[in-house]
Amino acid sequence: MRIKETIYKWIFTIFAFASLLFLVGIVVVLFKEGLPIFKHVKLVAFLFGKSWYPTYEPAEYGILPLIMGSVWVTVGAVLVSVPLGVGSALYLDELASYKQKAILKPIIEILASIPSIVFGFFGMVIVAPLIQRIFKLPVGLCALTASIILGVMAIPTICSLAEDALSYVPRSFREASFALGANRWQTLTKVVVPAAGSGVSTSIILGVSRIVGETMTVLMVSGGAAMIPVSFFQPVRPMTATIAAEMGEAAMGSAHYHALFAIGLILFLVTLVFNIIAELISRRFRIKLGLNR
Amino acid sequence: MHNGTRIKISNVSFYYGNLKVLSNISMDIYKNQVTAIIGPSGCGKSTFIRLLNRMNDLITKSKLEGSIYLDNKDIYKAKEDVVAIRRLVGMVFQKPNPFPKSIYENVAYGLEVNNIKDKAFIEHRVIESLRKAALWNEVKDRLHDSALKLSGGQQQRLCIARCLAVDPEVILFDEPCASLDPVSTKKIEELILELKSDYTIVIVTHNMQQAARVSDFTAFLYLGELVEFGHTEKIFTVPKNKKTEEYLTGKFG
């Protein structure tokens, strides 16, 4: 009996630590393969260089256009997903009947299970031509199209987590507010939303982190031009799309190859920071509502 | 023995869906008196007290029969007046439920939602309410600290102050000491006795000794029915009904 228990314990310990092992492995590889680029180009020139011509002679490795591509697309997607995601969470939590909620929430969550290539395909075939026609653009594949598709993709993350945060607000807070003569709107804006605020922010940060890291869709709909964009109607080339598009042609061990790993490293660090912030805020949220003492 | 009826409950039955939880209750709640509602768990005490400020409106598929009059006005007739009713009939809940805001903001909340903008007036009212709730001396130096830093008993007195701030005439206490220690309980009970001179008080309690200590009138509810109602002294010394006697002597509970 004792031996059996020890074996079980070890098996599950190994399972639990496996993901830690993978994480460490990935981080090590990212640093090992990414850092050598700085033998070819200085950090500042890499981050703020305005030209990304990795296959020219001499090659230029300035990723500012790629960073700006990611920034534009992310900002646009946030503008789409935050109102829709938080708005639908508020609706589900405050206005929807029990039945509506039981139907709507799973449907919104199904949106998350659609493969990103399908979103990309949809963007290419339906949304891009539409955008092209409405705004009379030379091409429909641009930052706006990418923003819309990515924004829709982030809705389930934001809506689902924000709705959880709202529903964690204890009923007793609402009752206290109603008992003091507050109406529904006052209770929502003065008690429920402030109490759930940090939980809602966490949902937004995790949604953004999903947008930043999304690859297949942006590769398909963002247009792919490595220029610093000045409007939503220009094609862009976000960081993730660059890695996906170029990794196949970069010779292993070349400067180009290391540059792509360095982009991956930056993406990793950015999403890591987002996730840490989200975790910190949500911990504060749970303490604030007395959910874990 | 009393100075008139404040709330008149007339043939009230209440349903959750098809389930009848209160059955044909009629009684009066008198001005400036403490009325205790006692009875075993699940007898409908909380449901009953929540009818008096229409808190049960929040429950879908519930239904009320009969009428409840506050100063001769049927509170279930004037549908648009829920807010006014809740201002007149304040409520303190079973578990202290201060908002995750500062002590000051908690007390000021009821004034703000009732569109009172005058800052000086709000401040005056906050201080006055905290004094009345016997909390002022403990919090006067940290009004802007989070209310959640207070102890359970202090939080409950804060909830009482929050309720007093909107200047109600009736205060409903729904098992206010259920989650408090004996010292905090004693403070709340003393407070209830003090508040009696200015307010009409209804208290639901699980604790028969508490009912005996604080109330003037007692109603005994059992399985959704009002078994006996009368002066607390009489109910506790010479109960008319056998069920009441059995409950008070601990035969069931």
Side-chain angles (χ1 to χ4, degrees), chain B residues 94-134:
Chain B
Q94 200 168 38
K95 249 183 86 188
N97 57 355
F99 300 123
K101 297 172 184 278
S102 74
I103 294 169
Y104 185 95
E105 287 168 326
N106 260 282
V107 185
Y109 180 83
L111 300 169
E112 275 160 29
V113 296
N114 287 300
N115 291 320
I116 293 166
K117 298 254 153 56
D118 184 348
K119 285 253 156 60
F121 175 80
I122 293 178
E123 191 178 337
H124 169 78
R125 186 59 80 66
V126 168
I127 295 170
E128 188 192 347
S129 307
L130 285 169
R131 282 219 168 95
K132 274 194 190 169

mmCIF file of all heavy atoms in Angstrom, chain B residues 94-134:
data_model
loop_
_atom_site.group_PDB
_atom_site.id
_atom_site.type_symbol
_atom_site.label_atom_id
_atom_site.label_comp_id
_atom_site.label_asym_id
_atom_site.label_seq_id
_atom_site.Cartn_x
_atom_site.Cartn_y
_atom_site.Cartn_z
ATOM 1 N N GLN B 94 -28.269 40.026 7.746
ATOM 2 C CA GLN B 94 -27.752 38.963 8.597
ATOM 3 C C GLN B 94 -26.231 39.018 8.730
ATOM 4 O O GLN B 94 -25.695 38.954 9.820
ATOM 5 C CB GLN B 94 -28.155 37.643 7.953
ATOM 6 C CG GLN B 94 -28.127 36.491 8.886
ATOM 7 C CD GLN B 94 -28.824 35.294 8.246
ATOM 8 O OE1 GLN B 94 -28.704 35.052 7.053
ATOM 9 N NE2 GLN B 94 -29.543 34.544 9.012
ATOM 10 N N LYS B 95 -25.583 39.103 7.566
ATOM 11 C CA LYS B 95 -24.122 39.207 7.593
ATOM 12 C C LYS B 95 -23.779 40.647 7.329
ATOM 13 O O LYS B 95 -24.355 41.269 6.455
ATOM 14 C CB LYS B 95 -23.514 38.326 6.495
ATOM 15 C CG LYS B 95 -22.761 37.129 7.048
ATOM 16 C CD LYS B 95 -22.133 36.335 5.922
ATOM 17 C CE LYS B 95 -20.775 36.889 5.547
ATOM 18 N NZ LYS B 95 -20.244 36.241 4.350
ATOM 19 N N PRO B 96 -22.831 41.222 8.103
ATOM 20 C CA PRO B 96 -22.440 42.599 7.809
ATOM 21 C C PRO B 96 -22.024 42.692 6.341
ATOM 22 O O PRO B 96 -21.229 41.883 5.880
ATOM 23 C CB PRO B 96 -21.229 42.836 8.714
ATOM 24 C CG PRO B 96 -21.281 41.777 9.746
ATOM 25 C CD PRO B 96 -22.046 40.625 9.178
ATOM 26 N N ASN B 97 -22.593 43.646 5.604
ATOM 27 C CA ASN B 97 -22.274 43.735 4.178
ATOM 28 C C ASN B 97 -21.871 45.141 3.767
ATOM 29 O O ASN B 97 -22.478 45.729 2.882
ATOM 30 C CB ASN B 97 -23.447 43.234 3.331
ATOM 31 C CG ASN B 97 -24.734 43.978 3.618
ATOM 32 O OD1 ASN B 97 -24.781 44.807 4.521
ATOM 33 N ND2 ASN B 97 -25.759 43.723 2.842
ATOM 34 N N PRO B 98 -20.826 45.689 4.413
ATOM 35 C CA PRO B 98 -20.359 47.006 3.953
ATOM 36 C C PRO B 98 -19.823 46.885 2.535
ATOM 37 O O PRO B 98 -19.356 45.821 2.141
ATOM 38 C CB PRO B 98 -19.236 47.354 4.922
ATOM 39 C CG PRO B 98 -18.765 46.053 5.459
ATOM 40 C CD PRO B 98 -19.966 45.151 5.472
ATOM 41 N N PHE B 99 -19.938 47.975 1.756
ATOM 42 C CA PHE B 99 -19.373 47.984 0.414
ATOM 43 C C PHE B 99 -17.851 48.035 0.515
ATOM 44 O O PHE B 99 -17.317 48.559 1.490
ATOM 45 C CB PHE B 99 -19.851 49.220 -0.352
ATOM 46 C CG PHE B 99 -21.334 49.305 -0.498
ATOM 47 C CD1 PHE B 99 -22.025 50.420 -0.039
ATOM 48 C CD2 PHE B 99 -22.050 48.272 -1.083
ATOM 49 C CE1 PHE B 99 -23.403 50.511 -0.170
ATOM 50 C CE2 PHE B 99 -23.422 48.356 -1.224
ATOM 51 C CZ PHE B 99 -24.105 49.474 -0.758
ATOM 52 N N PRO B 100 -17.161 47.532 -0.497
ATOM 53 C CA PRO B 100 -15.700 47.650 -0.480
ATOM 54 C C PRO B 100 -15.262 49.082 -0.794
ATOM 55 O O PRO B 100 -14.603 49.341 -1.774
ATOM 56 C CB PRO B 100 -15.241 46.656 -1.563
ATOM 57 C CG PRO B 100 -16.408 46.475 -2.448
ATOM 58 C CD PRO B 100 -17.642 46.754 -1.649
ATOM 59 N N LYS B 101 -15.689 49.988 0.068
ATOM 60 C CA LYS B 101 -15.372 51.406 -0.074
ATOM 61 C C LYS B 101 -14.916 51.886 1.296
ATOM 62 O O LYS B 101 -14.870 51.101 2.238
ATOM 63 C CB LYS B 101 -16.626 52.192 -0.473
ATOM 64 C CG LYS B 101 -17.245 51.833 -1.806
ATOM 65 C CD LYS B 101 -18.588 52.577 -1.951
ATOM 66 C CE LYS B 101 -19.320 52.196 -3.221
ATOM 67 N NZ LYS B 101 -18.876 52.895 -4.410
ATOM 68 N N SER B 102 -14.633 53.179 1.420
ATOM 69 C CA SER B 102 -14.189 53.678 2.720
ATOM 70 C C SER B 102 -15.376 53.753 3.684
ATOM 71 O O SER B 102 -16.539 53.672 3.285
ATOM 72 C CB SER B 102 -13.554 55.059 2.572
ATOM 73 O OG SER B 102 -14.563 56.018 2.353
ATOM 74 N N ILE B 103 -15.047 53.904 4.965
ATOM 75 C CA ILE B 103 -16.079 54.013 5.993
ATOM 76 C C ILE B 103 -17.020 55.175 5.664
ATOM 77 O O ILE B 103 -18.245 55.041 5.683
ATOM 78 C CB ILE B 103 -15.405 54.218 7.371
ATOM 79 C CG1 ILE B 103 -14.617 52.955 7.751
ATOM 80 C CG2 ILE B 103 -16.431 54.569 8.449
ATOM 81 C CD1 ILE B 103 -13.700 53.127 8.936
ATOM 82 N N TYR B 104 -16.402 56.309 5.313
ATOM 83 C CA TYR B 104 -17.173 57.504 5.000
ATOM 84 C C TYR B 104 -18.094 57.268 3.795
ATOM 85 O O TYR B 104 -19.294 57.544 3.840
ATOM 86 C CB TYR B 104 -16.211 58.660 4.703
ATOM 87 C CG TYR B 104 -16.886 59.985 4.483
ATOM 88 C CD1 TYR B 104 -17.038 60.883 5.536
ATOM 89 C CD2 TYR B 104 -17.369 60.351 3.231
ATOM 90 C CE1 TYR B 104 -17.651 62.102 5.340
ATOM 91 C CE2 TYR B 104 -17.994 61.566 3.027
ATOM 92 C CZ TYR B 104 -18.137 62.442 4.084
ATOM 93 O OH TYR B 104 -18.752 63.644 3.896
ATOM 94 N N GLU B 105 -17.524 56.701 2.733
ATOM 95 C CA GLU B 105 -18.311 56.472 1.513
ATOM 96 C C GLU B 105 -19.478 55.522 1.760
ATOM 97 O O GLU B 105 -20.544 55.657 1.164
ATOM 98 C CB GLU B 105 -17.421 55.886 0.403
ATOM 99 C CG GLU B 105 -16.462 56.893 -0.192
ATOM 100 C CD GLU B 105 -15.404 56.217 -1.055
ATOM 101 O OE1 GLU B 105 -14.984 55.079 -0.737
ATOM 102 O OE2 GLU B 105 -14.994 56.828 -2.038
ATOM 103 N N ASN B 106 -19.253 54.545 2.636
ATOM 104 C CA ASN B 106 -20.324 53.613 2.944
ATOM 105 C C ASN B 106 -21.543 54.333 3.516
ATOM 106 O O ASN B 106 -22.669 54.084 3.108
ATOM 107 C CB ASN B 106 -19.835 52.570 3.953
ATOM 108 C CG ASN B 106 -19.460 51.266 3.295
ATOM 109 O OD1 ASN B 106 -20.326 50.478 2.955
ATOM 110 N ND2 ASN B 106 -18.176 51.063 3.089
ATOM 111 N N VAL B 107 -21.275 55.238 4.480
ATOM 112 C CA VAL B 107 -22.394 55.920 5.119
ATOM 113 C C VAL B 107 -23.023 56.939 4.167
ATOM 114 O O VAL B 107 -24.233 57.131 4.147
ATOM 115 C CB VAL B 107 -21.946 56.583 6.444
ATOM 116 C CG1 VAL B 107 -23.131 57.180 7.173
ATOM 117 C CG2 VAL B 107 -21.240 55.558 7.323
ATOM 118 N N ALA B 108 -22.165 57.552 3.339
ATOM 119 C CA ALA B 108 -22.673 58.592 2.432
ATOM 120 C C ALA B 108 -23.437 58.003 1.250
ATOM 121 O O ALA B 108 -24.206 58.708 0.597
ATOM 122 C CB ALA B 108 -21.508 59.450 1.925
ATOM 123 N N TYR B 109 -23.241 56.714 0.985
ATOM 124 C CA TYR B 109 -23.798 56.095 -0.224
ATOM 125 C C TYR B 109 -25.306 56.322 -0.378
ATOM 126 O O TYR B 109 -25.784 56.734 -1.434
ATOM 127 C CB TYR B 109 -23.490 54.602 -0.221
ATOM 128 C CG TYR B 109 -24.028 53.880 -1.439
ATOM 129 C CD1 TYR B 109 -23.312 53.879 -2.625
ATOM 130 C CD2 TYR B 109 -25.248 53.213 -1.407
ATOM 131 C CE1 TYR B 109 -23.790 53.240 -3.746
ATOM 132 C CE2 TYR B 109 -25.745 52.560 -2.530
ATOM 133 C CZ TYR B 109 -25.012 52.582 -3.695
ATOM 134 O OH TYR B 109 -25.490 51.941 -4.810
ATOM 135 N N GLY B 110 -26.043 56.055 0.699
ATOM 136 C CA GLY B 110 -27.499 56.166 0.628
ATOM 137 C C GLY B 110 -27.954 57.580 0.301
ATOM 138 O O GLY B 110 -28.983 57.779 -0.341
ATOM 139 N N LEU B 111 -27.171 58.572 0.751
ATOM 140 C CA LEU B 111 -27.529 59.954 0.443
ATOM 141 C C LEU B 111 -27.250 60.252 -1.020
ATOM 142 O O LEU B 111 -28.032 60.895 -1.710
ATOM 143 C CB LEU B 111 -26.729 60.909 1.332
ATOM 144 C CG LEU B 111 -26.972 60.719 2.838
ATOM 145 C CD1 LEU B 111 -25.955 61.495 3.639
ATOM 146 C CD2 LEU B 111 -28.380 61.162 3.188
ATOM 147 N N GLU B 112 -26.087 59.763 -1.487
ATOM 148 C CA GLU B 112 -25.721 60.021 -2.878
ATOM 149 C C GLU B 112 -26.736 59.429 -3.853
ATOM 150 O O GLU B 112 -27.128 60.085 -4.809
ATOM 151 C CB GLU B 112 -24.335 59.442 -3.176
ATOM 152 C CG GLU B 112 -23.231 60.402 -2.794
ATOM 153 C CD GLU B 112 -21.911 59.692 -2.612
ATOM 154 O OE1 GLU B 112 -21.709 58.655 -3.264
ATOM 155 O OE2 GLU B 112 -21.099 60.181 -1.807
ATOM 156 N N VAL B 113 -27.153 58.193 -3.602
ATOM 157 C CA VAL B 113 -28.092 57.589 -4.553
ATOM 158 C C VAL B 113 -29.468 58.238 -4.464
ATOM 159 O O VAL B 113 -30.286 58.064 -5.353
ATOM 160 C CB VAL B 113 -28.230 56.057 -4.390
ATOM 161 C CG1 VAL B 113 -26.913 55.382 -4.687
ATOM 162 C CG2 VAL B 113 -28.747 55.675 -3.031
ATOM 163 N N ASN B 114 -29.701 58.977 -3.390
ATOM 164 C CA ASN B 114 -30.958 59.714 -3.325
ATOM 165 C C ASN B 114 -30.782 61.167 -3.754
ATOM 166 O O ASN B 114 -31.553 62.046 -3.370
ATOM 167 C CB ASN B 114 -31.552 59.608 -1.924
ATOM 168 C CG ASN B 114 -32.119 58.218 -1.681
ATOM 169 O OD1 ASN B 114 -33.017 57.778 -2.376
ATOM 170 N ND2 ASN B 114 -31.571 57.503 -0.715
ATOM 171 N N ASN B 115 -29.704 61.374 -4.542
ATOM 172 C CA ASN B 115 -29.465 62.655 -5.201
ATOM 173 C C ASN B 115 -29.267 63.830 -4.259
ATOM 174 O O ASN B 115 -29.653 64.947 -4.566
ATOM 175 C CB ASN B 115 -30.598 62.976 -6.186
ATOM 176 C CG ASN B 115 -30.559 62.028 -7.356
ATOM 177 O OD1 ASN B 115 -29.484 61.698 -7.857
ATOM 178 N ND2 ASN B 115 -31.729 61.555 -7.758
ATOM 179 N N ILE B 116 -28.657 63.563 -3.111
ATOM 180 C CA ILE B 116 -28.289 64.679 -2.243
ATOM 181 C C ILE B 116 -26.869 65.085 -2.599
ATOM 182 O O ILE B 116 -25.953 64.262 -2.596
ATOM 183 C CB ILE B 116 -28.425 64.271 -0.767
ATOM 184 C CG1 ILE B 116 -29.901 64.046 -0.460
ATOM 185 C CG2 ILE B 116 -27.830 65.343 0.139
ATOM 186 C CD1 ILE B 116 -30.178 63.349 0.824
ATOM 187 N N LYS B 117 -26.680 66.351 -2.969
ATOM 188 C CA LYS B 117 -25.383 66.777 -3.496
ATOM 189 C C LYS B 117 -24.619 67.644 -2.493
ATOM 190 O O LYS B 117 -23.413 67.784 -2.582
ATOM 191 C CB LYS B 117 -25.589 67.584 -4.796
ATOM 192 C CG LYS B 117 -26.249 66.756 -5.907
ATOM 193 C CD LYS B 117 -25.251 66.387 -6.969
ATOM 194 C CE LYS B 117 -25.604 65.117 -7.705
ATOM 195 N NZ LYS B 117 -26.922 65.093 -8.324
ATOM 196 N N ASP B 118 -25.332 68.235 -1.557
ATOM 197 C CA ASP B 118 -24.739 69.172 -0.609
ATOM 198 C C ASP B 118 -23.683 68.483 0.265
ATOM 199 O O ASP B 118 -23.986 67.722 1.175
ATOM 200 C CB ASP B 118 -25.876 69.735 0.269
ATOM 201 C CG ASP B 118 -25.377 70.796 1.228
ATOM 202 O OD1 ASP B 118 -24.149 70.932 1.376
ATOM 203 O OD2 ASP B 118 -26.224 71.470 1.845
ATOM 204 N N LYS B 119 -22.412 68.788 -0.019
ATOM 205 C CA LYS B 119 -21.290 68.107 0.654
ATOM 206 C C LYS B 119 -21.315 68.313 2.170
ATOM 207 O O LYS B 119 -21.086 67.378 2.946
ATOM 208 C CB LYS B 119 -19.955 68.633 0.091
ATOM 209 C CG LYS B 119 -19.646 68.093 -1.293
ATOM 210 C CD LYS B 119 -18.531 67.067 -1.225
ATOM 211 C CE LYS B 119 -18.566 66.106 -2.401
ATOM 212 N NZ LYS B 119 -18.437 66.759 -3.714
ATOM 213 N N ALA B 120 -21.593 69.548 2.579
ATOM 214 C CA ALA B 120 -21.575 69.856 4.013
ATOM 215 C C ALA B 120 -22.670 69.066 4.735
ATOM 216 O O ALA B 120 -22.465 68.515 5.819
ATOM 217 C CB ALA B 120 -21.766 71.350 4.227
ATOM 218 N N PHE B 121 -23.836 69.002 4.081
ATOM 219 C CA PHE B 121 -24.942 68.255 4.669
ATOM 220 C C PHE B 121 -24.590 66.775 4.785
ATOM 221 O O PHE B 121 -24.839 66.137 5.807
ATOM 222 C CB PHE B 121 -26.208 68.431 3.813
ATOM 223 C CG PHE B 121 -27.365 67.609 4.282
ATOM 224 C CD1 PHE B 121 -28.147 68.033 5.351
ATOM 225 C CD2 PHE B 121 -27.667 66.391 3.685
ATOM 226 C CE1 PHE B 121 -29.213 67.274 5.801
ATOM 227 C CE2 PHE B 121 -28.726 65.620 4.124
ATOM 228 C CZ PHE B 121 -29.500 66.061 5.183
ATOM 229 N N ILE B 122 -23.991 66.229 3.718
ATOM 230 C CA ILE B 122 -23.620 64.810 3.734
ATOM 231 C C ILE B 122 -22.643 64.540 4.871
ATOM 232 O O ILE B 122 -22.814 63.601 5.653
ATOM 233 C CB ILE B 122 -23.002 64.389 2.373
ATOM 234 C CG1 ILE B 122 -24.071 64.442 1.278
ATOM 235 C CG2 ILE B 122 -22.405 62.994 2.456
ATOM 236 C CD1 ILE B 122 -23.577 64.089 -0.100
ATOM 237 N N GLU B 123 -21.653 65.413 4.995
ATOM 238 C CA GLU B 123 -20.653 65.193 6.038
ATOM 239 C C GLU B 123 -21.295 65.218 7.426
ATOM 240 O O GLU B 123 -21.046 64.356 8.268
ATOM 241 C CB GLU B 123 -19.558 66.251 5.936
ATOM 242 C CG GLU B 123 -18.371 65.889 6.815
ATOM 243 C CD GLU B 123 -17.229 66.894 6.707
ATOM 244 O OE1 GLU B 123 -17.153 67.591 5.676
ATOM 245 O OE2 GLU B 123 -16.446 66.968 7.661
ATOM 246 N N HIS B 124 -22.163 66.210 7.614
ATOM 247 C CA HIS B 124 -22.868 66.324 8.878
ATOM 248 C C HIS B 124 -23.657 65.043 9.175
ATOM 249 O O HIS B 124 -23.607 64.505 10.280
ATOM 250 C CB HIS B 124 -23.805 67.530 8.816
ATOM 251 C CG HIS B 124 -24.770 67.606 9.952
ATOM 252 N ND1 HIS B 124 -24.389 68.064 11.198
ATOM 253 C CD2 HIS B 124 -26.071 67.247 10.048
ATOM 254 C CE1 HIS B 124 -25.435 67.989 12.000
ATOM 255 N NE2 HIS B 124 -26.469 67.498 11.342
ATOM 256 N N ARG B 125 -24.361 64.551 8.158
ATOM 257 C CA ARG B 125 -25.201 63.379 8.328
ATOM 258 C C ARG B 125 -24.361 62.116 8.598
ATOM 259 O O ARG B 125 -24.740 61.251 9.392
ATOM 260 C CB ARG B 125 -26.084 63.207 7.095
ATOM 261 C CG ARG B 125 -27.123 62.109 7.179
ATOM 262 C CD ARG B 125 -28.103 62.259 8.314
ATOM 263 N NE ARG B 125 -29.185 63.181 8.131
ATOM 264 C CZ ARG B 125 -30.179 63.060 7.242
ATOM 265 N NH1 ARG B 125 -30.228 62.038 6.446
ATOM 266 N NH2 ARG B 125 -31.134 63.953 7.189
ATOM 267 N N VAL B 126 -23.212 62.026 7.924
ATOM 268 C CA VAL B 126 -22.331 60.869 8.130
ATOM 269 C C VAL B 126 -21.881 60.815 9.585
ATOM 270 O O VAL B 126 -21.973 59.775 10.250
ATOM 271 C CB VAL B 126 -21.107 60.928 7.179
ATOM 272 C CG1 VAL B 126 -20.058 59.902 7.588
ATOM 273 C CG2 VAL B 126 -21.542 60.669 5.742
ATOM 274 N N ILE B 127 -21.431 61.959 10.089
ATOM 275 C CA ILE B 127 -20.939 61.999 11.474
ATOM 276 C C ILE B 127 -22.068 61.670 12.448
ATOM 277 O O ILE B 127 -21.928 60.851 13.357
ATOM 278 C CB ILE B 127 -20.329 63.393 11.781
ATOM 279 C CG1 ILE B 127 -19.094 63.600 10.909
ATOM 280 C CG2 ILE B 127 -19.980 63.519 13.251
ATOM 281 C CD1 ILE B 127 -18.542 65.005 10.936
ATOM 282 N N GLU B 128 -23.214 62.294 12.207
ATOM 283 C CA GLU B 128 -24.365 62.076 13.078
ATOM 284 C C GLU B 128 -24.766 60.587 13.107
ATOM 285 O O GLU B 128 -25.031 60.017 14.167
ATOM 286 C CB GLU B 128 -25.523 62.928 12.546
ATOM 287 C CG GLU B 128 -26.737 62.967 13.422
ATOM 288 C CD GLU B 128 -27.934 63.575 12.682
ATOM 289 O OE1 GLU B 128 -27.741 64.169 11.599
ATOM 290 O OE2 GLU B 128 -29.057 63.426 13.189
ATOM 291 N N SER B 129 -24.762 59.966 11.915
ATOM 292 C CA SER B 129 -25.173 58.563 11.836
ATOM 293 C C SER B 129 -24.175 57.654 12.534
ATOM 294 O O SER B 129 -24.555 56.709 13.225
ATOM 295 C CB SER B 129 -25.318 58.136 10.378
ATOM 296 O OG SER B 129 -26.167 59.014 9.696
ATOM 297 N N LEU B 130 -22.893 57.956 12.349
ATOM 298 C CA LEU B 130 -21.875 57.136 13.018
ATOM 299 C C LEU B 130 -21.990 57.279 14.533
ATOM 300 O O LEU B 130 -21.800 56.326 15.285
ATOM 301 C CB LEU B 130 -20.481 57.534 12.548
ATOM 302 C CG LEU B 130 -20.104 57.047 11.142
ATOM 303 C CD1 LEU B 130 -18.822 57.722 10.661
ATOM 304 C CD2 LEU B 130 -19.950 55.529 11.105
ATOM 305 N N ARG B 131 -22.315 58.492 14.992
ATOM 306 C CA ARG B 131 -22.510 58.698 16.435
ATOM 307 C C ARG B 131 -23.677 57.869 16.931
ATOM 308 O O ARG B 131 -23.586 57.158 17.930
ATOM 309 C CB ARG B 131 -22.796 60.176 16.712
ATOM 310 C CG ARG B 131 -21.575 61.025 16.692
ATOM 311 C CD ARG B 131 -21.657 62.100 17.803
ATOM 312 N NE ARG B 131 -20.371 62.738 17.959
ATOM 313 C CZ ARG B 131 -20.023 63.882 17.350
ATOM 314 N NH1 ARG B 131 -20.898 64.513 16.593
ATOM 315 N NH2 ARG B 131 -18.825 64.380 17.520
ATOM 316 N N LYS B 132 -24.813 57.980 16.214
ATOM 317 C CA LYS B 132 -26.006 57.235 16.623
ATOM 318 C C LYS B 132 -25.753 55.738 16.650
ATOM 319 O O LYS B 132 -26.341 55.016 17.455
ATOM 320 C CB LYS B 132 -27.154 57.516 15.646
ATOM 321 C CG LYS B 132 -27.963 58.747 15.956
ATOM 322 C CD LYS B 132 -29.231 58.679 15.124
ATOM 323 C CE LYS B 132 -30.018 59.979 15.160
ATOM 324 N NZ LYS B 132 -31.078 59.964 14.150
ATOM 325 N N ALA B 133 -24.908 55.270 15.745
ATOM 326 C CA ALA B 133 -24.639 53.835 15.674
ATOM 327 C C ALA B 133 -23.528 53.423 16.639
ATOM 328 O O ALA B 133 -23.035 52.301 16.583
ATOM 329 C CB ALA B 133 -24.275 53.435 14.251
ATOM 330 N N ALA B 134 -23.126 54.355 17.515
ATOM 331 C CA ALA B 134 -22.101 54.088 18.526
ATOM 332 C C ALA B 134 -20.795 53.591 17.911
ATOM 333 O O ALA B 134 -20.133 52.702 18.428
ATOM 334 C CB ALA B 134 -22.613 53.090 19.561
#
